[in-house]
Amino acid sequence: RRHIEMLVDCGVKGFRFDAAKHIRPETLQKYCEYIKTADPESMIYYEVLSTKKAMHTATTRDIETTDFPLCYGLHDVVMKGTSPEKLKALNHISADSVRFARNHDLIH
């Protein structure tokens, strides 16, 4: 907890938990509760590398996750020439999920 305290004291306002599906939900919850107690305005999200909504739901409670279905869909449209209509049919993780177009897991 000391490392979280030091980060909050330095003014850090955002926390990303990498590979969250490999961390016990109880452990994630304890970290998040501690962070929200230290700074209720902090942004917290989990990186869950999966296109399956069930994986995101199993990992999270009320913390947002990364929207890999959208990322993969954008990649297919831009890099493979897939119709943009595909984006309309995506099963987004949630209305508030963290959207992105590229990250280190997707570079080949």
Side-chain angles (χ1 to χ4, degrees), residues 24-34 46 61:
R24 290 185 190 130
E26 309 81 48
T27 302
L28 289 169
Q29 184 178 9
K30 286 179 185 177
Y31 271 107
C32 292
E33 287 171 357
Y34 187 78
Y46 300 154
R61 301 221 168 132

Side-chain angles (χ1 to χ4, degrees), residues 53-88:
K53 193 169 188 171
M55 176 63 72
H56 290 258
T57 304
T59 303
T60 66
R61 301 221 168 132
D62 48 345
I63 301 294
E64 295 306 327
T65 63
T66 47
D67 195 337
F68 273 91
L70 177 61
C71 180
Y72 288 140
L74 287 170
H75 178 269
D76 289 350
V77 169
V78 173
M79 302 302 289
K80 297 180 179 178
T82 304
S83 170
E85 290 296 312
K86 176 182 180 175
L87 299 177
K88 291 180 183 176

Side-chain angles (χ1 to χ4, degrees), residues 20-54:
K21 67 182 180 182
H22 301 293
I23 304 171
R24 290 185 190 130
E26 309 81 48
T27 302
L28 289 169
Q29 184 178 9
K30 286 179 185 177
Y31 271 107
C32 292
E33 287 171 357
Y34 187 78
I35 291 166
K36 286 297 187 181
T37 299
D39 183 0
E41 300 298 314
S42 289
M43 178 192 178
I44 303 168
Y45 75 96
Y46 300 154
E47 185 261 358
V48 178
L49 202 166
S50 177
T51 58
K52 296 182 174 125
K53 193 169 188 171

Side-chain angles (χ1 to χ4, degrees), residues 87-98:
L87 299 177
K88 291 180 183 176
L90 287 175
N91 183 18
H92 294 289
I93 300 305
S94 82
D96 296 320
S97 62
V98 177

Side-chain angles (χ1 to χ4, degrees), residues 10-27:
C10 288
V12 172
K13 293 286 189 188
F15 295 86
R16 174 186 185 265
F17 286 86
D18 192 58
K21 67 182 180 182
H22 301 293
I23 304 171
R24 290 185 190 130
E26 309 81 48
T27 302

